[in-house]
Amino acid sequence: MLELRQITADEFVEWVRVEARAYGNRLNADPEVLRPHFDLDRSIAAFDDGKIVGGAHSHLQEISIPGATSPIAGVANIEVQPTHRRRGIMTMMMHHQLKDIYERGEPLAGLFASESVIYGRFGYGVGSLREEWSIERHYTGYAQRHETPGRFAFINPPEIGTLLPDVFRRSTLGRPGVFQKASHLWEREASAPEHRQGGRGGIFYVAYYEGDRMEGYARYRTGEGTVSVQELMAASRTAAASLWRFCFDTDLVTRAEAERRPVDDPLTWMLADPRRLNRGTRDGLWLRLVDVAAALSMRQYTAEGRLVFEVRDEVCPWNAARFALEATCEGAHCKATEAAPDISIGVAALASAFLGGVSFSTLEQAGLADENEAGALERANRMFAVQQQPWTPCGF
């Protein structure tokens, strides 16, 4: 008989072992190191004959949304061990978890999908995109002359958690889709074994200063003739141009790579020969509107207006309704209504539009939304437009 419930403290180690089996990994981290960052109250385990065979978890986080921030359940550690797959266990856990998140009063859920085909059926939509880049070094020249007015300095691992969080915050201010890194994630970066490798394959942090103020930093590694930029955060235009130049001009490399870049990153417009930048786009954060009315009431809108959405949601029945959204310069309010719908849309597609990453017109052309009132799509496009595309540079 299958049972779903939270785990106890005594069951935590076995829960971690099941996750390792599910992903085909060895248990290469001490469970006691993970325990302080694991909320037992937010855990789910599937028990078969008293033994854990699957599980899921979530972290209470804060995410930036257009003009505001919102609490969000950061869903992670979703697993079913190989002996119990194809039995509907994951579906049971996902339904159970979404109901629990709703009852906690958390309007959003988000996750990073190991398999992108899975989560749409649970109402998750692509909330942010990211790009992976590569370019040969001799094509990295800028279209305009650049001089670096500031200075560079390397950051030692013990300084990471003290010096970098403020720059990360200022660099991502106002951009939807961002989680600010928790202190233990900065601590994990500082203690990463790659720091001890040095040279080939080692991770380095370089900061850019203007006067005494740090305006940006880059985390990178080199090896096999390539500089790989894992993270680059800049709080000013000059800092961004200077840090990219520093990375591109690294000695003994002929190629540069970068990961998790925003789709509207200005570097693609800074290059003299942008065609040479190989760009690959893929999904980043998958977003779920757990409480449609609450979520739509929290964000700000770039135009005033009224829209009635008819939402389809097969997993969360409280969302399967019509909602009237009223947006004014003072704020927004959304509530259930019996009024005729302007737009009919599935909850996953609405989640993709929520942060501003896709227009309602595009969703309509993709067959994911229907315009019931002439002009409604154009009105929705104006209201949900954003100045910066959603980006999720780190997890939770």
Side-chain angles (χ1 to χ4, degrees), residues 11 96 202 204 233 354 379:
E11 294 167 332
H96 179 92
F204 300 98
M233 293 292 170
F354 179 75
R379 186 161 71 253

Side-chain angles (χ1 to χ4, degrees), residues 75-387:
V75 175
N77 311 108
I78 304 169
E79 76 272 350
V80 177
Q81 70 178 19
T83 55
H84 285 69
R85 288 178 180 160
R86 311 297 185 265
R87 301 188 190 182
I89 295 175
M90 180 180 178
T91 296
M92 293 174 62
M93 291 193 302
M94 295 298 289
H95 284 236
H96 179 92
Q97 184 182 59
L98 285 169
K99 184 173 183 292
D100 178 67
I101 292 169
Y102 176 72
E103 291 175 349
R104 291 173 184 272
E106 296 160 12
L108 301 172
L111 57 81
F112 298 94
S114 55
E115 293 185 67
S116 58
V117 72
I118 293 175
Y119 295 100
R121 69 177 187 260
F122 302 116
Y124 286 84
V126 176
S128 67
L129 297 171
R130 71 188 198 204
E131 290 194 348
E132 314 294 323
W133 295 343
S134 66
I135 189 170
E136 298 302 314
R137 178 179 176 177
H138 55 274
Y139 293 125
T140 62
Y142 290 166
Q144 298 185 34
R145 179 180 176 84
H146 172 73
E147 294 184 2
T148 300
R151 62 183 177 88
F152 299 103
F154 280 101
I155 302 297
N156 293 319
E159 302 173 298
I160 289 171
T162 302
L163 298 180
L164 302 190
D166 177 65
V167 178
F168 186 99
R169 180 190 60 81
R170 289 189 287 122
S171 301
T172 56
L173 199 62
R175 185 184 283 274
V178 176
F179 300 96
Q180 296 299 318
K181 291 184 190 178
S183 59
H184 73 272
L185 296 180
W186 289 110
E187 292 168 5
R188 184 185 301 175
E189 287 189 30
S191 60
E194 289 89 344
H195 293 302
R196 296 191 289 273
Q197 293 178 10
R200 186 180 182 85
I203 293 178
F204 300 98
Y205 288 77
V206 63
Y208 173 77
Y209 289 85
E210 291 185 6
D212 294 330
R213 184 177 174 85
M214 187 189 297
E215 291 294 330
Y217 68 86
R219 181 178 80 223
Y220 72 96
R221 69 195 313 167
T222 60
E224 299 180 353
T226 299
V227 55
S228 298
V229 180
Q230 299 179 339
E231 184 172 283
L232 190 149
M233 293 292 170
S236 70
R237 182 174 70 184
T238 301
S242 299
L243 282 164
W244 282 118
R245 193 73 267 146
F246 178 94
C247 295
F248 290 150
D249 294 342
T250 300
D251 290 338
L252 306 179
V253 301
T254 59
R255 185 172 176 271
E257 297 176 341
E259 53 189 65
R260 289 196 176 193
R261 301 309 304 169
V263 295
D264 57 351
D265 196 300
L267 179 68
T268 59
W269 299 93
M270 292 158 54
L271 296 171
D273 193 356
R275 179 188 296 180
R276 303 295 181 170
L277 182 67
N278 298 306
R279 304 169 65 180
T281 304
R282 62 172 298 167
D283 53 288
L285 176 72
W286 286 70
L287 190 68
R288 215 305 177 174
L289 304 189
V290 180
D291 186 330
V292 167
L296 293 181
S297 297
M298 294 186 71
R299 63 157 285 174
Q300 293 184 5
Y301 299 86
T302 53
E304 296 186 0
R306 183 179 187 276
L307 286 166
V308 175
F309 291 104
E310 182 176 49
V311 179
R312 300 184 297 273
D313 193 335
E314 298 177 357
V315 178
C316 300
W318 54 87
N319 284 333
R322 295 175 183 177
F323 297 93
L325 170 64
E326 298 269 2
T328 70
C329 57
E330 285 82 25
H333 181 68
C334 185
K335 63 180 181 180
T337 183
E338 296 296 326
D342 298 311
I343 296 173
S344 299
I345 190 168
V347 71
L350 185 58
S352 293
F354 179 75
L355 295 178
V358 63
S359 73
F360 286 87
S361 295
T362 298
L363 292 172
E364 191 273 338
Q365 289 295 312
L368 300 176
D370 293 308
E371 183 180 49
N372 303 311
E373 179 70 24
L377 290 174
E378 183 180 352
R379 186 161 71 253
N381 292 342
R382 291 197 307 269
M383 291 170 63
F384 282 75
V386 292
Q387 289 189 338

